[in-house]
């Protein structure tokens, strides 16, 4: 893989850490700024709102900007937002810093995915995209726990200074390693928006929202489930979350590797696995060891879908993929919010802390249904295209009959053979790759009778 991908991975690691680290620092922030825990918690929802809304608007405004320049601008925004958070004297400026940082989150991951896919050949696109998201997965395993530890021991502002440093390194890496790109003078906002009228793009966005929503329907409430239902202590949550984070990294890596080989089958298998794991988690939550194993598998299955989903969107938005990739990140955050909301409703309804797992299983099954529908539509379109190409052969052969003169009989026989080829059989031999028995048709063109292998010499 190109070294440039490491710069994108490091930058996404910093962005992922920024998103998750505040969750472990809420008591510290609330105490220092003299606000309630609930008020401090709005720093999380404010960040999510910035991701959903800010990213697409920012990319739409700079649609003609070269992608490398866009990445550099986004990292500058990331650095400024964390700098503002580190220096914020009060809650309002801290919220502004968080929202500023969030604006670059979805935009960066979307643009970086397109750039990563362009850096490699077609056989490695999903793996390249997986490397971008590996940074975000690693943020759960290393970044957020490290940032929490730093904030709790040296002050929460030091954590944001650490993120400023990561941003500066990422900025330097992108400037040095990402190839220079020309300005996209042919880029038009209307062209980027037009891809959303393609049914396959809409289906891919739906698959993304539902699959991430399924994962976070369960994950959002895993702490009370593991402590109240499974019986783990609060101290055990840190290693359990690290285990889950390791599952995310493994799933992301495997998902990228297999998606390069067979994209839609990989997505279908991953979503089926996610459905099963979530359903099983409802029962294994009552036992410590099975619960820990299921929790790790939840990370594997949940993130095995991510590279394939982004690859699917970029592929189906061919010609104008940048805004679609950014909106995919926004769709995932909408799904996360929806999953967390629906999971919370089941708990409020008195169904218990394992009920969100069932919500997640239903959402994963819905994502699987959309995936199968998308694959079926694609297969139907491919068959229709193949039929049109074969019809073109028949039309061409018919024209030869009209002009055939003395050789009209021979050409008319050729047309009959081509029509038989359209049905799939010529002289009891199956047609394959536009070649029929005796080389009557080769590479889509009629072969004169005198040049056929079975013609008399």
């Amino acid at each position: 893989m190109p070294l440039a991908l490491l710069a994108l991975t490091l930058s996404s690691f910093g962005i992922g850490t920024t998103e998750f680290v505040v969750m472990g620092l809420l008591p510290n922030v609330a105490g220092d700024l003299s606000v309630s825990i609930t008020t401090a918690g709005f720093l999380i929802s404010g960040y999510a709102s910035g991701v959903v809304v800010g990213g697409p608007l920012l990319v739409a405004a700079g649609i003609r900007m070269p992608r490398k320049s866009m990445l550099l601008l986004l990292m500058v925004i990331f650095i400024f937002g964390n700098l503002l958070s580190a220096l914020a004297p009060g809650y309002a400026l801290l919220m502004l810093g968080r929202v500023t940082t969030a604006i670059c989150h979805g935009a960066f991951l979307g643009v970086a995915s397109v750039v990563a896919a362009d850096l490699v050949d077609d056989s490695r696109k999903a793996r390249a995209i997986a490397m971008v998201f590996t940074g975000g997965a690693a943020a759960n395993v290393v970044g957020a726990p490290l940032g929490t530890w730093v904030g709790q021991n040296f002050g929460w502002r030091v954590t944001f200074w650490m993120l400023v440093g990561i941003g500066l390194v990422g900025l330097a890496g992108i400037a040095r390693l990402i190839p220079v790109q020309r300005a996209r003078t042919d880029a038009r906002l209307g062209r980027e928006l037009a891809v959303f009228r393609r049914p396959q793009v809409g289906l891919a966005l739906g698959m993304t929202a539902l699959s991430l929503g399924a994962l976070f329907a369960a994950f959002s409430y895993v702490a009370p489930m593991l402590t109240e239902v499974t019986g783990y202590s609060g101290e055990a949550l840190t290693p359990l979350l690290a285990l889950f984070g390791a599952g995310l990294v493994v799933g992301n890596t495997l998902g990228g590797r297999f998606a390069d080989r067979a994209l839609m089958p990989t997505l279908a298998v991953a979503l089926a696995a996610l459905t099963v794991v979530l359903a099983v988690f409802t029962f294994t939550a009552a036992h410590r060891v099975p619960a820990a194993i299921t929790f790790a598998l939840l990370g594997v299955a949940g993130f095995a879908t991510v590279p394939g989903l982004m690859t699917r969107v970029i592929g189906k938005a061919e010609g104008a993929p940048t805004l679609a990739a950014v909106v995919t990140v926004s769709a995932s955050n909408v799904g996360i919010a929806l999953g967390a909301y629906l999971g919370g409703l089941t708990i409020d309804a008195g169904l218990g802390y394992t009920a969100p797992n069932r919500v997640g299983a239903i959402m994963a099954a819905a994502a699987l249904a959309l995936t199968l529908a998308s694959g079926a539509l694609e297969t139907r379109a491919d068959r229709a295209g193949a039929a049109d190409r074969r019809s073109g052969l028949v039309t061409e052969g018919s024209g030869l009959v009209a002009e055939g003169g003395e050789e009209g009989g021979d050409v008319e026989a050729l047309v009959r053979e081509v029509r038989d080829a359209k049905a799939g059989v010529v002289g009891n031999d199956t047609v394959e790759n536009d070649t029929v028995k005796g080389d009557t048709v080769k590479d889509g063109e009629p072969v004169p009778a005198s040049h056929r292998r079975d013609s008399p010499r």
Side-chain angles (χ1 to χ4, degrees):
M1 288 291 181
L3 189 61
L5 289 175
L6 293 179
L8 299 177
T9 302
L10 176 63
S11 299
S12 69
F13 171 79
I15 290 171
T17 301
T18 299
E19 179 180 19
F20 296 116
V21 73
V22 170
M23 298 176 186
L25 296 176
L26 286 182
N28 307 75
V29 172
D32 189 42
L33 299 181
S34 300
V35 297
S36 67
I37 290 290
T38 302
T39 301
F42 290 142
L43 295 170
I44 298 173
S45 55
Y47 188 97
S49 300
V51 173
V52 173
V53 178
L57 292 178
L58 184 61
V59 170
I63 200 67
R64 294 190 182 184
M65 186 180 296
R67 293 191 181 110
K68 178 177 180 177
S69 300
M70 176 61 76
L71 289 175
L72 292 172
L73 173 62
L74 293 171
M75 288 309 297
V76 169
I77 295 173
F78 172 81
I79 294 167
F80 176 75
N82 280 299
L83 184 62
L84 188 60
S85 297
L87 297 174
Y91 177 80
L93 278 181
L94 178 57
M95 174 64 83
L96 179 60
R98 290 287 292 168
V99 173
T100 300
T101 309
I103 289 174
C104 83
H105 181 124
F108 183 89
L109 292 179
V111 176
S113 295
V114 176
V115 171
D118 287 342
L119 289 173
V120 298
D121 56 46
D122 290 344
S123 65
R124 298 186 295 170
K125 288 187 181 298
R127 276 172 286 180
I129 293 172
M131 281 196 65
V132 174
F133 285 92
T134 295
N140 285 276
V141 184
V142 179
L146 175 62
T148 300
W149 181 83
V150 169
Q152 290 174 346
N153 288 276
F154 302 100
W156 60 269
R157 296 179 189 275
V158 178
T159 297
F160 286 104
W161 282 111
M162 179 186 77
L163 292 167
V164 169
I166 294 174
L168 288 171
V169 176
L171 177 67
I174 291 171
R176 177 69 179 85
L177 298 174
I178 299 297
V180 177
Q181 298 175 326
R182 295 177 299 175
R184 296 182 294 148
T185 56
D186 61 334
R188 298 287 187 277
L189 181 58
R191 183 181 178 188
E192 294 278 341
L193 291 173
V195 303
F196 294 104
R197 293 199 296 265
R198 301 176 187 175
Q200 289 289 9
V201 173
L203 285 170
L205 292 175
M207 290 151 54
T208 300
L210 288 170
S211 64
L212 270 297
L215 175 62
F216 278 85
F219 180 70
S220 298
Y221 305 98
V222 75
M225 186 185 71
L226 291 176
T227 54
E228 300 296 328
V229 179
T230 312
Y232 279 110
S233 64
E235 291 76 14
L237 290 179
T238 298
L240 286 169
L241 289 172
L243 185 64
F244 173 78
L248 295 179
V249 174
V250 172
N252 182 68
T253 303
L254 292 176
R257 181 173 298 276
F258 285 105
D260 275 330
R261 300 178 184 178
L263 177 57
M264 295 305 286
T266 297
L267 286 175
V269 170
L271 288 168
L274 181 59
T275 303
V276 172
V277 168
L278 284 165
V280 169
F281 206 3
T282 303
F283 304 99
T284 60
H287 310 280
R288 291 192 178 188
V289 174
I293 294 172
T294 309
F295 192 32
L297 291 176
L298 178 62
V300 175
F303 249 50
T305 63
V306 172
L309 289 169
M310 183 61 82
T311 303
R312 181 71 172 174
V313 171
I314 292 174
K316 293 304 175 184
E318 184 179 5
T322 306
L323 187 59
V326 174
V327 171
T328 302
V329 180
S330 296
S332 68
N333 279 269
V334 170
I336 289 170
L338 178 62
Y341 173 72
L342 294 177
L345 287 181
T346 63
I347 295 175
D348 291 341
L351 300 179
Y353 288 120
T354 61
N357 296 332
R358 294 194 289 271
V359 173
I362 293 171
M363 294 182 73
L368 176 59
L370 286 184
T371 302
L372 297 176
S374 177
L377 287 175
E378 187 172 54
T379 300
R380 183 183 301 173
D382 289 343
R383 287 176 177 172
D388 289 342
R389 289 191 295 273
R390 290 168 181 160
S391 296
L393 283 176
V394 174
T395 302
E396 182 179 351
S398 299
L400 289 174
V401 171
E403 302 173 3
E406 294 180 358
E407 296 182 359
D410 291 337
V411 177
E412 191 171 9
L414 170 60
V415 173
R416 284 197 298 270
E417 291 185 11
V418 172
R419 285 173 175 159
D420 289 339
K422 185 180 178 182
V425 176
V426 177
N428 296 324
D429 286 329
T430 301
V431 176
E432 186 174 354
N433 297 328
D434 288 337
T435 302
V436 298
K437 184 176 179 180
D439 284 338
T440 303
V441 178
K442 184 176 182 179
D443 296 330
E445 296 292 337
V447 177
S450 61
H451 289 76
R452 300 177 196 165
R453 290 197 307 265
D454 58 350
S455 64
R457 302 294 181 186

